[in-house]
Amino acid sequence: MWSNVLYIDLETGEHHTRDRSDLFDKYLGGTGVATQLLLEECPAGIDAFSPENPVIFSIGPLTTIFPCVSKVVSMFKSPMTGEMGESHAGGRLAMAMRFAGYDSIVIKGRAAKPSYLSIHDDEVKLKDATSIWNLSSVEVTGKILREVEPGKGRRSIMRIGKAGVNQVRYANVNVDTYRHFGRLGMGAVFGSKNLKAIVISGTEEVELPDMPAYKKMYSKLYGEVVDTEVMDKYHDLGTAANINVLNRLKGLPTKNLKQSHFENAESISGEYFADNLLLRKIACSNCPIGCIHIAMLKTQFQKGHEFEVSHISYDYELIYSLGTNLGITMGEDVLRLIDRCEQHGLDIMSTGGVLAWATEMYERDLITPPDTLGLSLRWGDTDNYLKMIDRIVEMPNKFYQAMAKGTAVAAAEYGGEDFAINLGRLEIAGYHTGPASIVGQIVGVRHSHLDNGGYSIDQKASSQQLSEEQMVDKLIYEDYWRMVNNSLVCCLFARGVYGEQNMVDALECVGIKKTRDELEAIGREIFLAKYKFKEREGFDIDKVSVPARFFETVSQLGMVKKDTVDNMLKLYRKKTGI
Amino acid sequence: MPAKIKVANPNRCINCYSCMLACSRTNANSVSLIDSAIDVRTSGGIESGIGIIVCRSCIDPPCARACPTGALTPRNGGGVVLDKDLCDSCKLCADACLPRAIHFDRADMPVICTHCGVCAKFCSHDVLELVKTEVM
Ligand code: SF4
Ligand code: SF4
Ligand code: SF4
Ligand code: SF4
């Protein structure tokens, strides 16, 4: 129904739109269409920082039309992995793209000087960003742009921080202060393009073929979202509730995965945050859940009653990455670390992984003060970690340059590969639940725990005694169906509501008639198209090395055996044909 | 008894826009923000507070008094009723409304709250309430 693609060339500042119903009819939108655009636009084998690397954004046919269909898919070649870069973000961006009338945006080239894009309905302008290029804070960048740009209340503002400007390979793109294109380094790609920010807004009034049927379906889905346990789970304590849960189950990666439980979990748990630090909750546009938990951190900066107050969003992955993984024992300290990464615009999951690896290297004398420029690294030492984060962004010497490239690269240079916790060159998510989590992150198209939810398959396996083959079947089912979810593009927290039948019915409301089987086939096709790109760029499942540490630390399902992982990978390849 | 919309608990708002989408879906048959009579706004980005702007159902509505064509007339229970045929888009009503509850759609017609209460039905956080008014 919608298939308008905006192409922008940063080199010349020129832009044009093209109707791509050829792609949208076949691949729905979101991840399906973005993958095709990536295959078209990204020449084989280029460097991720080459001007030719495209940055692509896509929404889908249900975006803003139905509740919780609130995400945007971004795609690019990743400087972290050298293959598929894909990240999803919410905030207001999806809605702003819908009302600006762009279903996808493709950005290529490199601007001659620091610039930002201002997109309001049909008006697309490349503007000078020299004065904000080197700002130290992502938050301040947002404040300045809000003053000069129109679209108040309807606009979305994406921007990079110092980390993106300096091309730290896991720099993120901040979206509307509290959401991110977090993983795989799109922020660094922005930096390489001299692109500081994108502001987008629109005023379209969208009409649907059968309004009465649409209203009925909206009410049904809205009711399911607010009445199911989804609401409790994500709104109440939020994902941070998992800290205590996974700690009890021994699935919580701690101190560089030396442990899978944390003796001090209680004081950085979701319960602790909610009771002591939580200020309020907010939502992405068109999502009644409101899962974004915002904490208030009050710090004394001088004697007397001199305080500074910051508002910081937190969730499970952040508390794991900068909390348990670094042995931090107080919620307040976790917030200080999160805030520092946020201001620089760093992907927190990768930053935590790199810091944890470095701490263990230091513990074993494999790196020494001359490498760290005098900083000693100890588990739980927040002050030194804060300094280290600054140095990763500034890269004052060879060691910090290596750290800015991620755990896999740094370990290849300095050693400690057996405990460089990455899968497919990406630092892992906060789950050491068993083999499905490990296999899931290796095979997942973006090496994310969200590709196929391997952790939850492990959890099922612990109660239902699943065989290796059954676990692989479940991974594949998720891999295919989430391609459909991600093409619509609904929030994965609401995936329980957007099951097979609801997706079929919701699509019908916007005039897209697909059967369940057709949707599954599309999911599989998108998955294979992604593997086409991945393999073209050199990804090979057989070459992914799993650091020994994964097999040395007990998981929720007991010790994971290397044979199990190898066997599951073999089964996965056989069944998917990749 | 007539009813009116009330912003009962503004501080509970999660900035989800469900109310705005419900208003335009119901009253303008569109998916949009600018067709909504209620407006949810962050004053300085989402890190600062959220403001909710909607008709405060004045009993002697200044917007109606300012309207030179008689397109706006006082509504039973507070607020106003719009007769689109009479409106010439002069926007004087918008200036007269102190809460700035009137804005204009793409056709330059004022978007006027009908106090139907649909927005409250789609607010998951009890920010909005449809309340009975005493005034007849
Ligand atoms: S814009 Fe229309 S309703 Fe408002 S004052 Fe002018 S004529 Fe009256
Ligand atoms: S639109 Fe403004 S002036 Fe008119 S009745 Fe409502 S609040 Fe009062
Ligand atoms: S009461 Fe009705 S018309 Fe007024 S803002 Fe709410 S939904 Fe819109
Ligand atoms: S629906 Fe309620 S919570 Fe959501 S934006 Fe409107 S008033 Fe706020």
Side-chain angles (χ1 to χ4, degrees):
Chain A
M1 194 171 166
W2 298 287
S3 47
N4 192 29
V5 180
L6 172 66
Y7 292 85
I8 302 170
D9 183 355
L10 296 173
E11 209 91 32
T12 59
E14 276 163 13
H15 67 92
H16 65 278
T17 58
R18 247 176 92 190
D19 176 65
R20 295 304 307 266
S21 39
D22 56 326
L23 298 183
F24 281 86
D25 287 352
K26 218 164 150 198
Y27 301 103
L28 302 169
T31 206
V33 168
T35 302
Q36 296 301 321
L37 290 170
L38 185 70
L39 281 162
E40 282 177 12
E41 299 290 338
C42 182
I46 55 161
D47 188 274
F49 294 141
S50 143
E52 288 177 289
N53 191 8
V55 167
I56 296 160
F57 301 98
S58 265
I59 57 173
L62 304 185
T63 297
T64 314
I65 308 292
F66 285 111
C68 299
V69 188
S70 51
K71 300 276 158 174
V72 178
V73 170
S74 70
M75 240 175 244
F76 49 96
K77 179 170 179 173
S78 164
M80 278 299 274
T81 63
E83 34 120 349
M84 171 141 270
E86 174 177 357
S87 187
H88 302 180
R92 288 177 183 158
L93 182 57
M95 190 180 75
M97 280 178 70
R98 162 65 70 228
F99 292 141
Y102 302 116
D103 303 290
S104 298
I105 301 175
V106 176
I107 300 169
K108 290 194 76 170
R110 175 185 290 144
K113 54 177 175 355
S115 304
Y116 78 96
L117 278 167
S118 164
I119 304 173
H120 302 284
D121 289 311
D122 295 340
E123 202 181 284
V124 180
K125 281 190 182 144
L126 188 63
K127 297 185 176 174
D128 187 282
T130 311
S131 49
I132 55 171
W133 184 245
N134 280 311
L135 277 183
S136 61
S137 147
V138 165
E139 199 180 331
V140 174
T141 306
K143 281 198 172 114
I144 290 172
L145 288 170
R146 276 196 287 273
E147 290 299 318
V148 296
E149 285 289 319
K152 204 170 175 175
R154 295 179 275 108
R155 67 190 164 199
S156 177
I157 304 182
M158 291 180 250
R159 64 266 192 186
I160 57 168
K162 254 293 175 44
V165 165
N166 291 354
Q167 296 174 27
V168 175
R169 288 196 193 170
Y170 41 95
N172 70 19
V173 173
N174 179 295
V175 182
D176 301 326
T177 311
Y178 295 125
R179 301 283 87 185
H180 318 81
F181 289 111
R183 308 227 67 196
L184 291 162
M186 190 168 71
V189 177
F190 265 49
S192 75
K193 295 186 162 326
N194 266 334
L195 181 61
K196 177 74 176 176
I198 304 177
V199 186
I200 179 162
S201 78
T203 55
E204 256 193 36
E205 295 155 320
V206 177
E207 273 162 33
L208 296 175
D210 182 351
M211 278 311 277
Y214 162 57
K215 288 177 194 174
K216 224 174 114 200
M217 190 65 195
Y218 190 103
S219 296
K220 176 177 184 245
L221 291 172
Y222 180 91
E224 285 182 28
V225 171
V226 298
D227 293 339
T228 49
E229 76 283 5
V230 184
M231 193 77 185
D232 295 340
K233 188 164 153 202
Y234 294 109
H235 183 73
D236 184 19
L237 289 180
T239 54
N242 271 335
I243 293 282
N244 275 341
V245 176
L246 282 163
N247 191 39
R248 268 196 303 277
L249 297 170
K250 291 205 164 39
L252 178 64
T254 299
K255 297 182 190 168
N256 204 38
L257 199 54
K258 288 209 274 188
Q259 304 165 203
S260 52
H261 70 283
F262 185 37
E263 50 285 2
N264 295 101
E266 198 52 53
S267 53
I268 61 169
S269 65
E271 287 80 354
Y272 180 88
F273 271 82
D275 289 342
N276 300 288
L277 300 163
L278 179 62
L279 174 68
R280 57 195 270 238
K281 295 167 206 167
I282 54 170
C284 297
S285 300
N286 192 23
C287 165
I289 300 173
C291 76
I292 307 171
H293 286 59
I294 312 242
M296 188 180 86
L297 180 67
K298 188 171 152 187
T299 349
Q300 188 170 21
F301 65 89
Q302 243 179 43
K303 282 214 175 68
H305 292 85
E306 299 288 354
F307 296 104
E308 59 179 317
V309 173
S310 347
H311 297 171
I312 303 157
S313 68
Y314 67 88
D315 64 22
Y316 171 71
E317 299 297 344
L318 308 192
I319 302 177
Y320 136 72
S321 311
L322 294 174
T324 66
N325 208 23
L326 301 180
I328 305 291
T329 57
M330 283 308 291
E332 286 80 352
D333 285 330
V334 176
L335 284 179
R336 287 166 67 204
L337 292 165
I338 293 177
D339 193 37
R340 189 63 59 92
C341 290
E342 286 281 32
Q343 296 310 332
H344 288 311
L346 282 167
D347 172 34
I348 288 180
M349 286 158 80
S350 285
T351 308
V354 175
L355 290 173
W357 165 82
T359 309
E360 190 165 343
M361 291 290 284
Y362 195 89
E363 220 173 40
R364 294 167 178 247
D365 288 329
L366 293 170
I367 53 168
T368 53
D371 297 313
T372 64
L373 297 174
L375 282 184
S376 52
L377 288 173
R378 280 178 305 264
W379 304 113
D381 187 343
T382 306
D383 288 333
N384 274 350
Y385 284 132
L386 287 170
K387 288 185 195 136
M388 195 134 204
I389 291 169
D390 293 343
R391 289 184 189 176
I392 289 175
V393 174
E394 296 303 336
M395 297 179 248
N397 71 358
K398 217 172 118 267
F399 176 67
Y400 287 103
Q401 281 159 20
M403 283 187 79
K405 291 179 179 153
T407 311
V409 176
E413 224 171 288
Y414 285 83
E417 285 174 294
D418 284 348
F419 52 87
I421 307 304
N422 74 95
L423 293 170
R425 305 170 71 82
L426 188 66
E427 290 73 15
I428 64 162
Y431 303 92
H432 188 50
T433 45
S437 170
I438 298 170
V439 172
Q441 289 179 82
I442 293 172
V443 299
V445 287
R446 50 192 169 125
H447 304 299
S448 159
H449 61 298
L450 292 171
D451 283 325
N452 42 42
Y455 59 97
S456 87
I457 295 169
D458 283 327
Q459 278 159 349
K460 279 190 199 102
S462 84
S463 58
Q464 298 168 14
Q465 297 296 327
L466 299 180
S467 69
E468 288 171 9
E469 181 161 3
Q470 283 168 317
M471 285 197 270
V472 169
D473 287 341
K474 282 189 188 302
L475 283 172
I476 294 172
Y477 174 89
E478 293 294 330
D479 271 320
Y480 292 172
W481 274 101
R482 289 184 187 209
M483 291 299 149
V484 184
N485 282 125
N486 293 339
S487 296
L488 298 181
V489 182
C490 64
C491 174
L492 285 174
F493 289 171
R495 65 184 175 274
V497 172
Y498 287 89
E500 298 173 6
Q501 193 57 44
N502 275 347
M503 282 200 268
V504 170
D505 295 344
L507 281 168
E508 184 155 2
C509 287
V510 298
I512 298 174
K513 287 196 179 53
K514 300 271 185 216
T515 63
R516 179 223 170 264
D517 291 351
E518 282 168 342
L519 287 181
E520 188 172 37
I522 291 173
R524 176 161 187 274
E525 211 180 317
I526 296 170
F527 174 85
L528 292 176
K530 285 184 200 238
Y531 259 90
K532 191 170 145 197
F533 180 84
K534 288 165 76 74
E535 283 166 359
R536 191 189 86 182
E537 300 303 320
F539 178 70
D540 181 350
I541 288 184
D542 291 342
K543 289 201 186 120
V544 175
S545 67
V546 183
R549 179 62 51 81
F550 284 93
F551 308 115
E552 294 160 357
T553 300
V554 68
S555 80
Q556 184 183 340
L557 288 179
M559 285 307 211
V560 181
K561 289 196 195 67
K562 191 164 182 314
D563 287 351
T564 308
V565 169
D566 289 344
N567 193 33
M568 282 173 72
L569 286 172
K570 214 183 283 151
L571 277 168
Y572 188 93
R573 293 199 73 154
K574 204 171 116 210
K575 284 172 184 261
T576 54
I578 51 169
Chain B
M1 214 184 294
K4 62 173 187 181
I5 196 73
K6 187 179 165 205
V7 184
N9 303 298
N11 294 336
R12 294 185 195 169
C13 179
I14 58 168
N15 196 41
C16 69
Y17 296 96
S18 298
C19 50
M20 294 181 71
L21 293 164
C23 184
S24 15
R25 191 167 64 241
T26 312
N27 298 307
N29 279 310
S30 72
V31 181
S32 78
L33 291 182
I34 64 160
D35 292 345
S36 164
I38 185 168
D39 201 2
V40 181
R41 282 210 167 172
T42 49
S43 37
I46 213 160
E47 58 268 39
S48 58
I50 299 163
I52 293 160
I53 304 167
V54 67
C55 173
R56 298 288 165 166
S57 44
C58 309
I59 298 303
D60 175 18
C63 56
R65 274 187 270 136
C67 175
T69 68
L72 291 176
T73 47
R75 171 184 166 274
N76 186 6
V80 283
V81 180
L82 170 73
D83 182 341
K84 283 194 178 179
D85 292 338
L86 296 179
C87 174
D88 66 3
S89 305
C90 71
K91 304 191 177 172
L92 290 171
C93 52
D95 289 339
C97 172
L98 209 53
R100 292 289 180 261
I102 299 180
H103 64 268
F104 292 79
D105 66 15
R106 280 197 150 191
D108 234 9
M109 271 291 132
V111 182
I112 301 289
C113 174
T114 61
H115 298 272
C116 66
V118 169
C119 52
K121 225 176 89 192
F122 283 93
C123 175
S124 58
H125 283 72
D126 301 323
V127 176
L128 307 167
E129 262 172 33
L130 190 70
V131 295
K132 300 238 160 25
T133 62
E134 296 307 316
V135 196
M136 296 293 270

